[in-house]
Amino acid sequence: MNAEEGRPTAACPPPTARGLNRVQASAYVGVSPSLFDEMVKDGRMPRPKTINSRTVWDRRAVDRAFDLLPGGSDDAGGEWDVET
C-alpha cells in the first residue's frame, strides 16, 4: 500500500528510461525473460540495439510490437471470446 494515498503500489512500475535491458523489457510486456527471448527470435518482439557493450530494447519499439500481438479490441475473434 502507498501510505500517502492509501492505495496499492504497482507491482511493476512503468519504466522511466527509453532503453530497457532484457529483464526490464520482458517485465514490461508481462512475460518471462525466456519467453521474451523466444518472441524476439520469432519476430513478435523487436531485436535489441547495441550501445557500446550493452544490449538495449527501445521501449517504443516494444510498444509497437506489443500492439501488433493478437488479442484485445483489434482481434477478429477467437476461442476465448464470450458470446453475449
Side-chain angles (χ1 to χ4, degrees), residues 2 4 11 14-15 27 32-33 35 45 48 50 54 56 58 62 72-73 80:
N2 183 330
E4 295 177 14
S32 69
L35 178 55
M45 283 291 132
T50 302
R54 293 196 44 146
V56 180
D58 182 332
V62 172
S73 61
W80 295 102

Side-chain angles (χ1 to χ4, degrees), residues 52-66:
N52 292 343
S53 62
R54 293 196 44 146
T55 301
V56 180
W57 277 264
D58 182 332
R59 183 170 43 99
R60 293 178 188 163
V62 172
D63 282 336
R64 286 190 300 272
F66 189 85

